[in-house]
Amino acid sequence: MPLLLGAALALGGLPLLSSPAAWGQAAPPISSPRPPAARRSFVAEAVRISGPAVVTIDTERTVLVQRGAAAEGFPFMDPLLRQFFGLPPGALTPLPPSQRTERGQGSGVLYDPSGLLLTNAHVVEDSTRVTVGLSDGRRVEGKVVGADPVTDLAVVRLVGAGPWPVAPLGNSDSLQVGEWVIAVGNPFGLDQTVTLGIISSLNRNAAKLGITDKRLELIQTDAAINPGNSGGPLLDAEGAVVGINTLVRSGPGAGLGFAIPINRARSIAQQLVSTGSVSHAMVGVALEPERDASGAMVAGARVRSVMPGGPAARAGVQPGDVITAVGDQPVRDPAQLTQLVERNGVGRPMDLRLRRSGQVLQLQVTPVELSSLVRRGG
């Protein structure tokens, strides 16, 4: 080994790998380049706080599959084929439906020491069995307390005495665009996956994403949210839950994740636990943004259509009206008006200020429960 030998001779014959003590110096203690605390990031601390409360939710649902002669390999269910082959009408009768078990998976987060967890409604929808996997390896049966498809939120209660890990709930109203957020969940069945990003936008209306059957103002983030993350928590830098992950935009604009603000989720959860259902106030109008002569959006919400016999119609609201305020609160856009109606609640009159053909009008409308309008076909 000529290179090592030359190095040793250059050092006056001392072995190249000799200890510092051979040089008359004390040997320093062996240590890592940085102490462990310096290597820990705020992400690791946040996950340490709330990570144990993130769970895997495995679901089973029973699906009825219609069977018939055609499905069993007989093409003679078609009336023309029956006539061609001379089969009597009752020669081949449909078989009774069979049952098939479908399995799904999602995420959730425990928020109450009694064993209550939040997840998405679509994760547990129509489930006949729910099994919850905890981060410590325990697998526990879960019972769906209630689900609200309108906000895509559900509450599940663990069966057993615990103890259960709990994640602290933060304040989503205090969030600002650009803040760090951490998505935790089980995408593709991979337990305790953590992704980091920032808040890209707040109050993103679900209707603008093409989701017309939900009433949601969402947190938008670039933290990766993939299939299986649904129902898991979105954490702030301190480890508090500020949102419930709900969907990811695929196709054009892929990489955009969305979460339900925790203040909204907390309110929905309280209603589900106390009554098993959620009340949603509606006035029976379809809205669109108000625009000026150049086509630019301006403040207000234009009424595109009015449901016949609904609260708005009874109050005198007409298509083409521009609603500019609710009480003393100016209306910025249709999404804000929907929020104000929701916050007002069912059965409480609310004052609308609107503009019609250059005139300012004051009308009073009393919202009703969403389900009552749906039953009427609105």
Side-chain angles (χ1 to χ4, degrees):
M1 301 177 64
L3 181 60
L4 292 179
L5 179 60
L9 292 174
L11 292 173
L14 290 175
L16 180 66
L17 300 180
S18 61
S19 68
W23 297 78
Q25 301 174 3
I30 297 175
S31 61
S32 57
R34 290 186 300 170
R39 292 202 307 269
R40 270 200 304 268
S41 69
F42 71 92
V43 179
E45 182 62 17
V47 174
R48 184 192 67 79
I49 293 171
S50 290
V54 180
V55 300
T56 303
I57 300 176
D58 294 301
T59 61
E60 295 181 7
R61 54 178 59 89
T62 302
V63 179
L64 292 179
V65 180
Q66 196 66 40
R67 297 191 299 169
E72 299 297 327
F74 298 98
F76 302 120
M77 296 301 291
D78 189 293
L80 293 177
L81 290 175
R82 283 175 174 275
Q83 185 178 3
F84 179 81
F85 287 99
L87 295 173
L92 294 172
T93 58
L95 299 173
S98 63
Q99 292 185 347
R100 184 178 74 241
T101 299
E102 290 185 348
R103 291 176 171 81
Q105 190 175 74
S107 304
V109 60
L110 285 156
Y111 70 94
D112 188 277
S114 66
L116 295 175
L117 67 87
L118 269 166
T119 187
N120 288 149
H122 74 260
V123 170
V124 297
E125 184 179 18
D126 300 326
S127 296
T128 54
R129 184 179 182 186
V130 175
T131 305
V132 179
L134 279 74
S135 60
D136 59 9
R138 285 180 290 173
R139 293 185 61 79
V140 184
E141 182 183 358
K143 297 293 184 182
V144 179
V145 174
D148 180 40
V150 177
T151 56
D152 196 26
L153 286 166
V155 174
V156 175
R157 185 186 298 276
L158 300 187
V159 177
W164 314 115
V166 174
L169 302 185
N171 178 15
S172 53
D173 289 342
S174 66
L175 294 176
Q176 296 182 13
V177 173
E179 285 188 43
W180 290 109
V181 283
I182 306 151
V184 187
N186 309 293
F188 307 108
L190 302 174
D191 292 349
Q192 289 286 307
T193 297
V194 178
T195 56
L196 177 66
I198 62 168
I199 295 175
S200 307
S201 180
L202 296 168
N203 304 315
R204 184 70 77 195
N205 188 261
K208 294 181 179 178
L209 303 172
I211 307 170
T212 57
D213 61 337
K214 309 296 180 189
R215 300 187 71 180
L216 290 171
E217 301 295 320
L218 299 166
I219 300 169
Q220 179 182 325
T221 176
D222 64 352
I225 297 175
N226 295 301
N229 264 120
S230 292
L234 188 71
L235 308 178
D236 64 14
E238 283 73 44
V241 180
V242 293
I244 301 297
N245 303 327
T246 186
L247 57 91
V248 62
R249 176 75 176 268
S250 58
L256 304 181
F258 299 91
I260 303 166
I262 196 60
N263 289 6
R264 179 81 157 125
R266 183 191 286 112
S267 173
I268 297 299
Q270 290 171 349
Q271 293 184 62
L272 289 174
V273 171
S274 59
T275 67
S277 61
V278 179
S279 175
H280 293 287
M282 292 281 285
V283 297
V285 294
L287 303 169
E288 61 186 8
E290 173 64 349
R291 300 180 183 275
D292 61 17
S294 68
M297 291 178 55
V298 295
R302 178 174 289 272
V303 178
R304 187 172 68 246
S305 62
V306 181
M307 178 182 294
R314 294 195 299 268
V317 178
Q318 300 178 7
D321 290 347
V322 178
I323 300 174
T324 58
V326 174
D328 297 328
Q329 176 69 50
V331 172
R332 181 179 63 252
D333 53 30
Q336 186 195 20
L337 177 56
T338 301
Q339 283 184 331
L340 293 173
V341 172
E342 186 90 20
R343 291 174 183 173
N344 182 83
V346 173
R348 293 177 52 203
M350 56 190 299
D351 296 321
L352 299 182
R353 184 166 71 245
L354 53 87
R355 191 170 63 247
R356 178 188 299 167
S357 301
Q359 294 183 329
V360 177
L361 304 176
Q362 297 278 350
L363 299 177
Q364 189 176 81
V365 60
T366 302
V368 298
E369 173 57 42
L370 167 65
S371 58
S372 68
L373 291 181
V374 173
R375 285 195 296 269
R376 295 173 54 182

